[in-house]
Amino acid sequence: MTTVLHKVRLIMDLRRDGITDTKVLSAMEGIPREKFVPAALKSRAYENTALPISFNQTVSQPTVVARMATALELGDRLKLLEIGTGSGYNAAVLSRLVRRVYTIERFRPMVLGAEAIFSDLGLHNITAILGDGMRGWSPQAPFDRICVTAAAPEPPAQLIDQLAEGGIMVMPVGGPHQVQTLMRYRKRESRILEEPLDQVRFVPLIADVAEETQAS
Ligand code: SAH
């Protein structure tokens, strides 16, 4: 099958999973997932499943990327922070739906790999940063939206602090070896409203930038 047909099938899968937001669907259609997965898995790039990438991490399932994008209520004037660049796929999809994306990753090779793909695809509104995403990115705070793509038992306090008034953060909450709950947090008059959305499974959020020699 050609890439075009694979993409059409993926969009049909997303619709079947209840993704109806046309902006989200067209952002997903516009990003070639095969660029973000390892060479050996290219033939599976358009399957609606999570796939392994380097350093024992995973690129999220397309349905989950689309659900998070929908839950974030995105718009083209917004500034978004993503935690966990990984392959860069999620950041690329989000970059089609907001004005500017900042994305933080703790593995340097992943930052470099994602940056190369962003520039290859002409996605110029994404800045990838090596850092500990649990601390957010204060030079650019506050953020209208925050998308956390790794799980922790609690939302990191610094991320909540860096969320703008009226802002939305979406994050998988729960321990590493259990099903987690995708949570939505809204900041309203400095109060945080929480809302559970879905059951999900993400790799854990790990503190600090990885040592250059660290394999996972
Ligand atoms: N959004 C990614 C999915 C990545 S999986 C994609 O589309 O491919 C989660 C990523 O979060 C991994 O790459 C992992 O290294 C990263 N991560 C985990 N803890 C982190 C932290 N404290 N700061 C930044 N990145 C972190």
Side-chain angles (χ1 to χ4, degrees), residues 5-56:
L5 286 176
H6 276 119
K7 273 193 182 174
V8 169
R9 199 177 58 183
L10 176 61
I11 299 301
M12 283 165 58
D13 286 348
L14 294 174
R15 285 183 184 279
R16 203 174 38 226
D17 281 353
I19 308 297
T20 54
D21 186 320
T22 50
K23 284 191 181 157
V24 170
L25 288 169
S26 84
M28 306 270 313
E29 201 173 356
I31 298 297
R33 194 168 183 245
E34 79 269 10
K35 300 264 187 210
F36 296 89
V37 304
L41 293 174
K42 296 236 184 273
S43 64
R44 299 183 55 200
Y46 292 97
E47 286 179 18
N48 193 10
T49 54
L51 291 171
I53 49 177
S54 49
F55 299 102
N56 289 326

Side-chain angles (χ1 to χ4, degrees), residues 15-206:
R15 285 183 184 279
R16 203 174 38 226
D17 281 353
I19 308 297
T20 54
D21 186 320
T22 50
K23 284 191 181 157
V24 170
L25 288 169
S26 84
M28 306 270 313
E29 201 173 356
I31 298 297
R33 194 168 183 245
E34 79 269 10
K35 300 264 187 210
F36 296 89
V37 304
L41 293 174
K42 296 236 184 273
S43 64
R44 299 183 55 200
Y46 292 97
E47 286 179 18
N48 193 10
T49 54
L51 291 171
I53 49 177
S54 49
F55 299 102
N56 289 326
Q57 305 300 321
T58 54
V59 52
S60 308
Q61 181 189 359
T63 289
V64 174
V65 172
R67 287 228 170 100
M68 289 176 99
T70 305
L72 282 161
E73 299 176 4
L74 301 174
D76 56 16
R77 294 168 66 177
L78 302 177
K79 178 166 79 171
L80 179 147
L81 176 68
E82 183 201 30
I83 309 304
T85 312
S87 67
Y89 175 68
N90 202 345
V93 171
L94 295 170
S95 78
R96 307 280 306 243
L97 295 161
V98 297
R99 178 172 58 80
R100 174 112 225 136
V101 173
Y102 294 87
T103 179
I104 308 182
E105 171 58 52
R106 60 189 293 279
F107 285 107
R108 184 189 300 276
M110 285 183 154
V111 175
L112 299 176
E115 273 178 336
I117 306 170
F118 300 150
S119 102
D120 204 36
L121 295 178
L123 303 173
H124 299 303
N125 62 338
I126 312 176
T127 304
I129 302 152
L130 178 70
D132 178 358
M134 286 173 136
R135 298 164 192 234
W137 187 247
S138 52
Q140 282 297 336
F143 297 94
D144 304 304
R145 299 292 186 263
I146 301 180
C147 182
V148 186
T149 68
E154 297 284 340
Q158 289 177 76
L159 294 184
I160 298 279
D161 286 349
Q162 291 177 26
L163 192 58
E165 178 57 37
I168 301 176
M169 172 163 116
V170 170
M171 169 175 174
V173 174
H177 303 296
Q178 61 191 73
V179 172
Q180 302 130 6
T181 305
L182 187 64
M183 296 292 298
R184 173 159 57 188
Y185 301 93
R186 290 176 194 269
K187 194 181 266 191
R188 287 274 185 281
E189 287 154 15
S190 301
R191 289 182 45 233
I192 300 295
L193 309 176
E194 311 187 4
E195 196 185 339
L197 299 177
D198 263 321
Q199 298 296 296
V200 288
R201 238 176 220 284
F202 275 81
V203 296
L205 197 59
I206 297 171

